[in-house]
Each structure stands twice: as C-alpha cells, then as structure tokens.
Amino acid sequence: MMIVMKPEASEAEIAAVAERVEAAGCSAHISRGRQLTVIGAIGERERVQSLGLDGAPGVDHLVPILKPYKLASAQFRAGERSQFEIGERLVGDGQFTLIAGPCTVESRSGTLAVAETVAAGGASMLRGGAYKPRTSPYSFQGLGQEGLRLLQEANELTGLPIVTELIDARDVEDVVEVADVIQIGARNMQNYPLLSEVGRTDRAVLLKRGLSATLEELLMAAEYVLKEGNERVLLCERGIRTHESAYRFTLDLLAIPALQELSHLPVIVDPSHAPGRRDWVESMSLAAAAAGADGIIVEVHDDPDSAVCDGPQAIPAASFDEYAERVRSVAAIAGREVSAPAGMLV
Ligand code: PEP
Ligand code: MN
C-alpha cells in the first residue's frame, strides 16, 4: 500500500504515519520526491487497511500497489520518475548519464589514460571491473583489490564517480570504499543475498538484467535492494539470450519504454555486450538514446586489440570524443541532458 502524504504534511505527521505502519508489523519506506512524499507500507494489505490511515493527519490518500514489486513500481512514486545524485551528478528524470571505461581494470597507465580521455569527452562516470565474473575459470578474473586501488586513483585524477562490479558479498567493504555505484552483473541479478547486501550500503546500485530474465524478474531483483532502504537503483538492459546466434545477445530496446512505464527507476543501456563487436556499438547507443534511455554504460579501451577482456567490443579511447558528441546530440533530441558537473562539458 502506498500512503500519499499531503504536500503540506509536516515532518511530525510523516513520522507518525510511519510509526503506525511499523507498529502494525509492516515496514514503512519513506520516499521524498520533488512534488510528493509517499510512504510505502509493505506487509499484509489487511493490516495496513485496518490502521484506518485514510483521513489521518497529513495523509492525502492511499493507493494499493497491485504489482508484486512495490517500491520499484511506477505507482509507488505516483508517476513521478526518480532522480537522485551520484557524486554531484544528477541521474534519472531528464538527465542522461554516460558511463564509460574499460571492461576490466588491467594496468595503471591504461586505466588512467582511459579515465582522462572519457572525462575530457564529457563522460558522467568511469566504469571498470576489478572483480570479473568470467565464463571460464581459466580466464583473467580481475585485479581485485589492486584494481580497486587503480580506480580510486582514476577518481582522484579525474573526479569521475566510479562504477565497479561486486560479485562476492565478502568483498563488499572494499568495494564500498571506492565505488560510487556498485554494479551487480547479469549473472548475479538473482543472487538475492548479494542484492540485500548492496541494499544495506549507501552506494547507488546498477542492476544488470539477467541473461534470460523477464522485466518483472529484474524489477523483483531491484525490490530486494530497495527493500533494504537503498533508493538509488539504476536498471540496466544489456541484452538477453534468444534463439538468435548472429550476435552475442539480443539487445532488448523495448525494455526502455516498458521499464519506464512499469517503474520510476532510471533505465541505463549497455550497448557493448550484446553486439560483442565495436562496429555495432555506436548504432545501438544512438538507438538507446533515441528510445529515451536515461543513460548508457559503454566499454572504452586505450588499446582494444591488447585488451584482456572484451576487446573486440571496446570503443578505442581515441574515438570516444566523437562518439560521445553523437550520443549527446541524440539524447538531447529525446529530451535528455548529459549529466556532468557544470563547467565540465566543452
Ligand atoms: C560487464 O559490464 O563487463 C559485464 C560483465 O556485464 P554483464 O554482467 O552484463 O555481462
Ligand atoms: Mn565486459
């Protein structure tokens, strides 16, 4: 059940409603949008209804949320799209977040070079994996803590917020120290203890769609993070497995409008992993921007031919500038503004 507070409701009234919800054995999630404050009461509907909150001080009206995911549903924010800050950049609702960087952190010089290039090209954030979920246990698994340290250095050099993947809950403390956004990869989308773990951190979470997950399953996964009190979740379409074998995955661009209808959370597209080859990455990026995505997470490498991971799909750092310019212009047509701190864009 969603309890919509009156615009003029006082803090005391909001707290009183939340207390009554908790006292009834339900959990209360207070969410403050730009127009409205709503309280999500999660628990048995009968219990919430029995509280008689309709007409209580400060309460405007109650809306039952019929979807199995509650906090992630568009209804929960009464149609308002989520917008939040990550490292001084606004994300969601009219903003376009351009996240760029290598698949994996390989070397100090390469990481810093790519970070500087994408920062100069107007990227909003730097991506790079220190822990890599590889199909083969014999493939490079990431630099681990050393990789995190290099990402930290890249952040100090460029000011770009860091997006990096967590694959094992035992590494959460190390990752939290460096990450502004914790990436949960496609293979872990339904790793529920891991989702709850990142839900208890104060870092934003980029949740990638599982290889064969439905949108409802993706939103249920987001619910695990939101339920722990972490409101800054970004949904990411990265391609799904279909019968088609002409490319690595099928990029499901319809997930953009569909997720934006079902949920208030920002929708980011990864145009790199589905094609698996760089000559198709830009067209998929432009298509995602045109379809109204709230951002892109793209792989960029200073020397793709020598990359240890996902080189064939990486955009060479030397062409990032032009790529970013074209993505920005299409995002602008779709009514989005690339989110970088004021003064960074040339
Ligand atoms: C990645 O971003 O490098 C990655 C491994 O992504 P995914 O989980 O979507 O395969
Ligand atoms: Mn990759």
Side-chain angles (χ1 to χ4, degrees), residues 102-104 127 132 208 248 270 272-273 299 309-310 313:
C103 175
T104 179
R127 65 150 287 153
K132 296 302 297 179
K208 298 188 95 175
R248 276 174 97 187
D270 169 347
S272 303
H273 288 85
E299 293 191 344
C309 183
D310 284 347
Q313 70 199 27

Side-chain angles (χ1 to χ4, degrees), residues 73-95:
S73 75
Q75 265 180 322
F76 176 63
R77 299 256 8 112
E80 189 177 282
R81 303 210 52 74
S82 269
Q83 190 182 71
F84 40 79
E85 227 176 84
I86 300 176
E88 293 172 24
R89 278 92 176 146
L90 280 179
V91 174
D93 195 24
Q95 300 291 316

Side-chain angles (χ1 to χ4, degrees), residues 260-279:
Q260 287 172 341
E261 186 174 288
L262 296 170
S263 175
H264 54 88
L265 297 169
V267 178
I268 306 295
V269 171
D270 169 347
S272 303
H273 288 85
R277 43 184 270 199
R278 81 179 59 94
D279 57 337

